[in-house]
Amino acid sequence: MNNIPKIIHQIQEETQPLFSDFFSNLSQSWVENHPLWQYKLWSLHDIKELIHCEFPHFATFCDNNLNNKLLLEISRYFILYREGGIFVDSDIECIEPFDDIVKDKQCCFSYVPQLSSKKIISDSLIISKRESLFLKFIIERLDSNLNCLVEEGISFLNKTYSLYDCKDEVEIISSSIINPCSPIEIELLLNGKISENSIDNIISEAHSICYYLKERAQSKRRMNSIDVLYLSSIVGQGGAFRAAHRIHLGLRAIGIDSKMLVLNSNLGEKGNLLDNIHVAIPSPQEKVGYHNDLEPLKQYPAYNMASHTFAPAMAGTDVNRYIDIFNPKIVQIHWINAGYIKIEDLGKIKKKIVWRLADCWPLTGGCYYYGDCKRYLTGCGKCPKLGSEDMDDLSHEIWKRKEKAWKEMDMVIVVPTLWMKQCVENSTLLKGREVFVIPNGLDLDKFYPVRKEIAREVLNIPSDKKVILYGATNAINDMRKGFSLLLQALQSLSDAYKNEYYLVIFGAERQRLDLDIPFRFMGYVRDHQILQALYSAADVMVVPSLEEAFGQTVTEAMACATPVVSFLETGPESIIEHKRTGYLARYADEKDLAAGIEWVLSSTKLNDELSVNARARIEESYDIRIIAKQYEKLYHQLLNS
C-alpha cells in the first residue's frame, strides 16, 4: 500500500532574474519525471490561507510575529501535514522518478551531503503521508515556542528529531539518493573542474541533485543591546585578518551589532556593505600604512625589512573620532599594526576594551614574537631583531610608550590558546590584566571535507600517494614557521617512503629543495575552494611552527577532516589531541616530528579514525557560533561589572 499522495509541492519565491529561468527548468524536471503526479506551486497567499483555515490557533501568532521569509521556511511542515506528498526546494533537480522511493513510506528526510562526524538532517526535500505524527510534533514545537526556530536555525529540525520518541516512524534516506553532492562539489562541477566520469560515480544512485542557488529563508535577527566596534588593520587576507573577520561575522550572526573599522579592505564596496565594514579615512596630515610605519627602522641596517617581524606603531590614524561617531559599548581590538593606529591613540580610547591578541606584539618593545629573548620582561633595549647594542634603542622607546598608554586603557585580554595566556601572564606590560581564553572559530558551512578523490582530481595531485600538506604565510622564509625542521624530518623519512609520500606546499613560490620525496608548490592560495580542496586532498597537515599564537591552518585542516602534526609548547597544543586528532611532537625536535608524520600515515584505518576525530573536535569546540556566544557572555560580564 502506498501511503504517500502523488503530489509534488514547491513554493513560488521571488528570485533574481538571473536565475529565474534556471529555477523554472528545475521545477519542470519534477513535472517531466512524474507525469501522473499533481504538481502544486504554493504562493504566499496560498500558504496564509492554508494556515488560517487549517491551523487557526497558529494564524494570529503567524500574522503578528512572522515575516514572510520565515513563514515560507516553515510552511513545508504545514503543507505536508495537511496534504502529504513530496515537498522539494526550488533549487533541486529531479533526474529519476521517485515512484519506487515513496512506496510503503510514511515520513522521510535525508542527510546533508557533507562528510561530517555528525549526521545532519536536511529539510530541503521531505516525503510524507498526510497527518504524519512527526510533522505534527514539529508543528506543536513551533506552536509552543517559535523562538526555538530563530535560536536553533539549521539545528531546529535535528533538535526536534532528537526529542521525538518514535524515531522508527521517520526514515532518513541516504544523501547518495536524494542529494549526493556537497556545495563545493556543485561549484566545481558548474565550473568544469570535475570530470564527467567522477560526477557519474558520485550520482550513480541519485534521483535528485541540489544546486544550492536558492537563498534559504532566514529570519532577520534583531540586533540586541550590545554593540561592538571591531578594530583590525586589514580585512580579506592573512591569518589574523581572517580570524578577525570571522569573529565579526559570528557576532553579527548571533545578533550582536558588530561594526568593523579597518584601514584597508580587500572585499570591495559590495563586500564592505554586506559585512558592515567601514574603512577609516585618514586626514591629510596623518601618515598611515605599512611603509610609513617602517620609517623609524631604517636607522637599524641590521634589521631585515622583508621579515615583517617588528612594528613601531608610530604611524596611524586617530580612530577615536570614529569611536565618538559610532559610540559603541565595547571596542574590540585585534591586529592593528601596519600603520593603522598609534600606541598613544590606543591609550586615548575611553570605552570598555576587549583586546583579542593575535600575537605577542602588545607584550614587547615592537616584535611580534620574542623567540628566546627575554628583554621584553625588563623594558627591552639591546634588541636582537634590530641588531642593537643600545639600551635606549627603538625597542625600549616603544616599550615605554606602551607602558604609559596601556595604563590608561580599561581593558581585558582575550587570547586564543593556553600558550598565549601563559605569555600574557608572564609579561610585564600586561601582567595583572584579566585574561580570557576564547579560540578562533570557523564557519563550518564553509570548511568541511571534500571527497579526497575529487579534491585530488581538481588539484592534479596523485591519487596513489600519501599526501603531506604544509602551508603558511611566507611559508619558507619565515623561520618561526619551522619549515627547516619539516625538511629535516622528511629527509630522514625519504629513504623509506620516497615512493609513497608526496609533499604539497602553499604560501610560497616554487624553489629548489634538497628532498628525495616528490613535492609540489601551490603558490599563494587566495581562492577558498582551492584551500578547502587542499586540506581535503591531504592525508596529514604538518604545522611545525616554533611560535604560534593559535594556528589557523590547524583548525582549517581539521575541519576538513585532516589530522595535524605539530609541536608541543606552542599554540596548536591547545587544539590537537595527541594521538586522537593528530600528533604533538616534542618542541623543535625534528626526529619526533618525523615519527609523528610516519605514525599518522602508518595505516589507512588509523588515518580514517584520526580524520573523523579531527572533524568532531572542530564541531564541538571551534564552530564560530559557539565562539561568538563566548564573546557575548564576556561582553555581558564587562557591561554589568
Side-chain angles (χ1 to χ4, degrees), residues 13-27 90 213:
E13 301 175 70
E14 294 182 3
T15 59
Q16 299 177 14
L18 178 63
F19 296 119
S20 57
D21 289 342
F22 187 78
F23 283 132
S24 178
N25 291 335
L26 297 185
S27 296
S90 59
L213 291 176

Side-chain angles (χ1 to χ4, degrees), residues 60-61 66 73 173 233 248 325-326 329 401 457 499 543 621:
T60 303
F61 181 81
L66 291 186
E73 181 70 9
I173 301 174
S233 297
H248 162 70
I325 293 169
F326 289 118
K329 289 185 172 67
R401 289 167 58 213
E457 179 185 335
N499 294 322
V543 182
S621 302

Side-chain angles (χ1 to χ4, degrees), residues 182-360:
S182 67
I184 190 171
E185 288 167 349
I186 287 295
E187 287 189 48
L188 294 170
L189 168 64
L190 295 176
N191 292 329
K193 294 181 179 179
I194 303 179
S195 69
E196 291 184 9
N197 196 34
S198 295
I199 287 298
D200 288 343
N201 290 334
I202 293 173
I203 67 172
S204 60
E205 301 178 3
H207 283 58
S208 57
I209 300 176
C210 180
Y211 289 92
Y212 305 99
L213 291 176
K214 187 178 76 70
E215 180 181 273
R216 292 303 301 267
Q218 297 283 339
S219 61
K220 185 175 181 181
R221 293 186 179 274
R222 181 180 301 167
M223 293 299 177
N224 63 32
S225 59
I226 301 176
D227 59 322
V228 175
L229 185 62
Y230 208 124
L231 305 179
S232 185
S233 297
I234 305 172
V235 67
Q237 67 178 38
F241 311 126
R242 290 200 308 273
H245 190 209
R246 288 167 184 166
I247 295 169
H248 162 70
L249 294 180
L251 295 175
R252 292 190 61 78
I254 65 167
I256 292 175
D257 187 8
S258 177
K259 302 174 183 68
M260 204 168 198
L261 182 66
V262 302
L263 183 62
N264 294 297
S265 172
N266 296 308
L267 300 182
E269 186 175 345
K270 183 179 179 181
N272 293 340
L273 183 64
L274 289 173
D275 291 352
N276 206 357
I277 292 169
H278 305 264
V279 179
I281 302 174
S283 68
Q285 296 78 30
E286 290 177 324
K287 291 184 177 182
V288 301
Y290 180 70
H291 294 292
N292 281 316
D293 202 45
L294 287 181
E295 280 297 319
L297 293 169
K298 291 181 179 178
Q299 61 183 302
Y300 296 94
Y303 174 69
N304 179 9
M305 288 286 190
S307 67
H308 309 293
T309 57
F310 197 99
M314 291 180 175
T317 186
D318 186 1
V319 296
N320 285 284
R321 65 181 184 273
Y322 290 95
I323 293 172
D324 291 340
I325 293 169
F326 289 118
N327 193 27
K329 289 185 172 67
I330 300 281
V331 172
Q332 183 142 321
I333 302 172
H334 204 98
W335 199 87
I336 43 75
N337 298 123
Y340 179 27
I341 306 175
K342 296 178 183 177
I343 291 169
E344 290 73 18
D345 289 335
L346 288 171
K348 295 174 185 176
I349 297 174
K350 301 304 178 187
K351 294 285 184 180
K352 297 273 187 185
I353 297 169
V354 174
W355 196 335
R356 191 281 186 197
L357 303 194
D359 50 43
C360 297

Side-chain angles (χ1 to χ4, degrees), residues 377-618:
L377 298 173
T378 55
C380 286
K382 291 189 175 182
C383 178
K385 285 201 185 311
L386 300 179
S388 168
E389 292 297 327
D390 182 3
M391 276 299 299
D392 295 321
D393 65 10
L394 179 62
S395 70
H396 176 69
E397 178 188 343
I398 294 169
W399 197 97
K400 296 300 289 185
R401 289 167 58 213
K402 288 181 180 180
E403 182 183 40
K404 181 178 179 181
W406 292 184
K407 287 179 180 178
E408 302 299 319
M409 298 167 71
D410 180 9
M411 68 175 169
V412 297
I413 305 299
V414 170
V415 294
T417 59
L418 292 173
W419 179 81
M420 275 296 293
K421 184 173 190 246
Q422 187 175 19
C423 291
V424 172
E425 291 175 342
N426 291 341
S427 74
T428 302
L429 286 173
L430 291 179
K431 196 175 187 66
R433 296 283 186 175
E434 198 167 6
V435 185
F436 299 86
V437 179
I438 303 178
N440 292 344
L442 288 175
D443 183 344
L444 298 188
D445 294 332
K446 293 182 178 179
F447 280 94
Y448 56 85
V450 181
R451 287 177 178 85
K452 198 177 293 290
E453 65 272 19
I454 292 295
R456 292 192 180 185
E457 179 185 335
V458 169
L459 299 170
N460 196 26
I461 291 173
S463 60
D464 60 343
K465 300 290 186 182
K466 295 179 179 179
V467 175
I468 301 164
L469 182 64
Y470 166 75
T473 302
N474 199 17
I476 304 298
N477 297 325
D478 187 345
M479 300 303 294
R480 182 175 59 85
K481 296 297 182 180
F483 179 71
S484 62
L485 292 170
L486 172 59
L487 196 58
Q488 292 175 53
L490 293 177
Q491 284 169 335
S492 71
L493 295 169
S494 61
D495 284 345
Y497 299 106
K498 62 184 176 184
N499 294 322
E500 292 183 44
Y501 291 177
Y502 188 88
L503 174 65
V504 177
I505 301 168
F506 67 90
E509 297 301 333
R510 181 172 178 81
Q511 53 191 276
R512 292 176 61 87
L513 297 179
D514 182 18
L515 184 64
D516 291 331
I517 292 172
F519 58 88
R520 180 180 170 194
F521 282 89
M522 299 296 297
Y524 292 91
V525 177
R526 294 180 175 86
D527 183 290
H528 174 78
Q529 286 184 14
I530 298 299
L531 186 63
Q532 187 178 1
L534 274 170
Y535 289 130
S536 300
D539 295 295
V540 64
M541 174 86 187
V542 184
V543 182
S545 300
L546 297 173
E547 292 177 290
E548 197 70 73
F550 181 70
Q552 197 80 0
T553 56
V554 175
T555 52
E556 290 174 354
M558 288 171 61
C560 296
T562 299
V564 181
V565 175
S566 189
F567 285 128
L568 290 164
E569 300 179 41
T570 186
E573 182 180 2
S574 292
I575 308 168
I576 300 165
E577 295 171 304
H578 185 54
K579 290 194 172 183
R580 187 173 184 277
T581 64
Y583 188 97
L584 288 166
R586 292 183 295 273
Y587 181 75
D589 187 335
E590 72 277 9
K591 292 181 180 178
D592 200 21
L593 188 70
I597 296 169
E598 185 178 30
W599 180 77
V600 170
L601 299 178
S602 60
S603 79
T604 302
K605 182 181 178 182
L606 172 63
N607 194 264
D608 288 346
E609 290 176 359
L610 294 171
S611 297
V612 170
N613 293 341
R615 172 69 189 186
R617 168 77 168 145
I618 300 303

